[in-house]
Amino acid sequence: MSLPPPILEYCTRHPQIVTGRHCTRCDRPACNDCLTLADVGSHCTECVRRARPATSERIRFWNAAQPVLVTRLLIAVNVIAYAWVLTGTRMSSIAGSINSNELDMGLSQVFIDNGEWYRIISSGFLHFGLIHVGMNMLLLWQLGQLLEPALGRSRFTLLYFTAMVGGATGALLINPNGLTGGASGAVFGLMAAAAVGFQQRGVNPMRTGIGATLMLNLLITFAIPGISIGGHLGGALVGGVIGYAMLEPKWQRDAPWIAWVAPVICIASSLLLISTF
């Protein structure tokens, strides 16, 4: 007695390939190239694609897995700005040699009087040397890991730029004719905010490392010539005020809106003060 010829099955996606395997989920025939090993059996390409979350959901999951995204972006912008500054040409001046790009980004009262208010922000991304940018970015990375998850991206960004404006105001107040730059004002603001936040929770900042770091950097500010004293003190002062408003524990918080209003008031006051110099 002769047996009937075997029934050959072909891959759904590759009709020219004979296969004896099936997708565990939809039971369609599929070749080895079209099957993906799963926890139970193997799934075909279509089933794998349908099982993937929607694009919006994948973006949401990715976003939730980036607790210090703003910190990373700020560091990237600072590093890119420093690399761009290095492409500038050196020019001679009464004060010595200066980079043309440093002159384009730096902060000085003469530029503000000329209507170049953008320098309040651009100067915060200008650094004079590798050590300058390296130390600031190291502190920004450490402080960002502490503050950004606690505050959230929006409030952390607002704190950073408000402290930057405060640092620029202090720099113009103490040394209006100098060329100032650096993220130090914003970084000092983050340090002061972190110290205030610890103090609000009954933790001595000097026992956390934040207080010692802040004191050490203040000592360096006054000990080494050429460092913007006004920029550091202005950033620390504004950062401490905003940190007090933003990091107040929930059980002590009477008016949550202060966390959003305080930065606006500080920025407006700083700009008003600069305009009256």
Side-chain angles (χ1 to χ4, degrees):
M1 184 178 73
S2 61
L3 297 175
I7 299 176
L8 300 179
E9 293 184 313
Y10 295 87
C11 174
T12 304
R13 296 180 70 243
H14 304 103
Q16 73 279 8
I17 299 179
V18 178
T19 182
R21 302 183 64 188
H22 293 76
C23 172
T24 309
R25 178 170 291 180
C26 67
D27 201 36
R28 288 185 296 183
C31 65
N32 292 337
D33 293 337
C34 293
L35 290 173
T36 300
L37 187 64
D39 293 336
V40 178
S42 301
H43 296 165
C44 66
T45 304
E46 287 76 12
C47 288
V48 170
R49 185 181 298 115
R50 284 197 298 267
R52 294 180 64 188
T55 302
S56 59
E57 191 172 356
R58 294 202 304 272
I59 293 174
R60 184 168 59 85
F61 288 156
W62 177 88
N63 189 45
Q66 310 297 322
V68 289
L69 179 62
V70 173
T71 301
R72 294 176 187 271
L73 290 175
L74 288 172
I75 292 174
V77 172
N78 275 281
V79 171
I80 291 172
Y82 176 69
W84 178 77
V85 167
L86 294 179
T87 64
T89 57
R90 305 300 300 184
M91 301 185 303
S92 298
S93 66
I94 299 176
S97 178
I98 189 171
N99 187 302
S100 60
N101 289 341
E102 292 175 351
L103 195 61
D104 290 338
M105 295 178 65
L107 178 67
S108 184
Q109 186 63 48
V110 64
F111 297 125
I112 299 298
D113 293 340
N114 197 38
E116 300 177 21
W117 289 82
Y118 69 88
R119 291 176 180 269
I120 293 174
I121 300 299
S122 67
S123 62
F125 295 96
L126 168 65
H127 290 89
F128 303 102
L130 189 59
I131 295 178
H132 189 199
V133 67
M135 290 300 298
N136 277 341
M137 294 306 100
L138 175 61
L139 288 171
L140 174 55
W141 173 247
Q142 293 173 337
L143 293 164
Q145 292 183 87
L146 175 67
L147 290 173
E148 187 176 345
L151 290 172
R153 291 174 187 167
S154 299
R155 290 193 297 172
F156 177 77
T157 304
L158 194 56
L159 168 62
Y160 184 89
F161 282 99
T162 305
M164 179 186 290
V165 174
T169 305
L172 291 173
L173 182 64
I174 300 298
N175 187 17
N177 297 321
L179 186 67
T180 306
S184 305
V187 170
F188 264 81
L190 297 181
M191 279 192 286
V196 169
F198 278 121
Q199 189 65 44
Q200 286 176 317
R201 286 156 178 78
V203 179
N204 186 351
M206 299 303 295
R207 294 186 176 182
T208 64
I210 292 295
T213 302
L214 180 58
M215 292 299 104
L216 176 61
N217 280 274
L218 285 174
L219 178 63
I220 293 173
T221 298
F222 288 98
I224 299 179
I227 293 180
S228 176
I229 296 175
H232 290 186
L233 294 182
L237 177 62
V238 171
V241 171
I242 302 304
Y244 183 85
M246 288 186 173
L247 291 166
E248 185 179 15
K250 291 183 178 180
W251 61 85
Q252 298 177 1
R253 192 175 300 167
D254 296 325
W257 51 267
I258 292 179
W260 300 98
V261 174
V264 175
I265 294 175
C266 284
I267 291 175
S269 301
S270 297
L271 296 180
L272 180 62
L273 185 60
I274 291 174
S275 66
T276 59
F277 287 170

